[in-house]
Amino acid sequence: MEQLASAAAQPIDFSLVALFMRASLIVKIVMVLLILASFWSWALIVQKLLKFTAARADAARFDRAFWSGEPLDDLYDRIGATPRGPAERIFAAGMGEWRKSQDEVGAMIPGTQSRIDRSMNVAIGREEARLSRGLSWLASIGSTAPFIGLFGTVWGIKTAFEQIAIAQDTSLAVVAPGIAEALLATALGLLAAIPAVIFYNKFIADADRLGATYENFADEFSTILSRQLNEG
């Protein structure tokens, strides 16, 4: 009797590692999946932060170069066949089509304007696809992680009640550890989902703003080329 009382009086370890180790196999699998999803989510977030930062810097740098007064042919020759960023690739697509549309004597063949517009629209579509790549994973993690964690919690609570029935003891010392282990799965689900949802919304807004910037540039560039065509 004294030994039972002494065992009951021993403090219960509620550290995260102890809760994980005491959890059932299914709950452990759920926790591991959520931890991996959280790491994958943060890896995507860091990658996208760097990509969007570089895209904004590239757009600002190219905008300064484009409006510096340098002839467009010289700017295109300086960029060369390997543009460094999205804005340069869109410009190169339009300028490349402009040069391809010139015949042997330098005159423009019919339909030049529409081909230039289509070339830049295709380039813009590619850049928008690059910016949005991987965001579907963040959306999936943000929408499914809470439910995966909830599944782990429900399963853990089921296991806890089974242990209570086997022990035939409803004291807090028996009930609390099982409930705590089960709730840890929900906490991990929220830990994975909340950053994923926040940054997914941020990146979608950033992609829309950059896409609008590219489209505005394409419209301005198309207007300049159209004016030169009319003058020619």
Side-chain angles (χ1 to χ4, degrees), residues 65-124:
F66 184 80
W67 296 109
S68 64
E70 180 182 4
L72 297 182
D73 286 321
D74 293 346
L75 179 61
Y76 180 67
D77 292 334
R78 183 162 58 83
I79 290 175
T82 55
R84 291 183 297 172
E88 290 186 356
R89 285 191 286 268
I90 295 168
F91 169 75
M95 239 1 240
E97 188 58 40
W98 167 271
R99 288 191 172 181
K100 291 176 185 176
S101 297
Q102 297 180 8
D103 58 18
E104 291 81 359
V105 296
M108 291 296 171
I109 59 179
T112 296
Q113 186 67 50
S114 61
R115 286 193 300 274
I116 291 173
D117 291 341
R118 284 197 297 270
S119 296
M120 288 193 292
N121 287 335
V122 170
I124 289 172

Side-chain angles (χ1 to χ4, degrees), residues 131-202:
L131 290 174
S132 300
R133 191 175 301 157
L135 294 185
S136 59
W137 285 104
L138 285 180
S140 298
I141 292 172
S143 60
T144 60
F147 295 103
I148 296 173
L150 182 60
F151 168 75
T153 295
V154 171
W155 191 274
I157 290 175
K158 180 186 79 69
T159 303
F161 280 125
E162 290 173 353
Q163 294 173 349
I164 291 170
I166 292 172
Q168 296 184 353
D169 187 356
T170 58
S171 65
L172 190 60
V174 175
V175 175
I179 301 299
E181 296 155 18
L183 292 176
L184 179 60
T186 295
L188 290 174
L190 294 175
L191 187 64
I194 291 173
V197 171
I198 291 174
F199 281 98
Y200 171 78
N201 292 329
K202 170 184 165 47

Side-chain angles (χ1 to χ4, degrees), residues 124 128 205-219:
I124 289 172
E128 290 177 342
D206 289 346
D208 289 341
R209 282 193 292 269
L210 281 170
T213 299
Y214 298 149
E215 290 173 1
N216 291 336
F217 163 73
D219 290 340

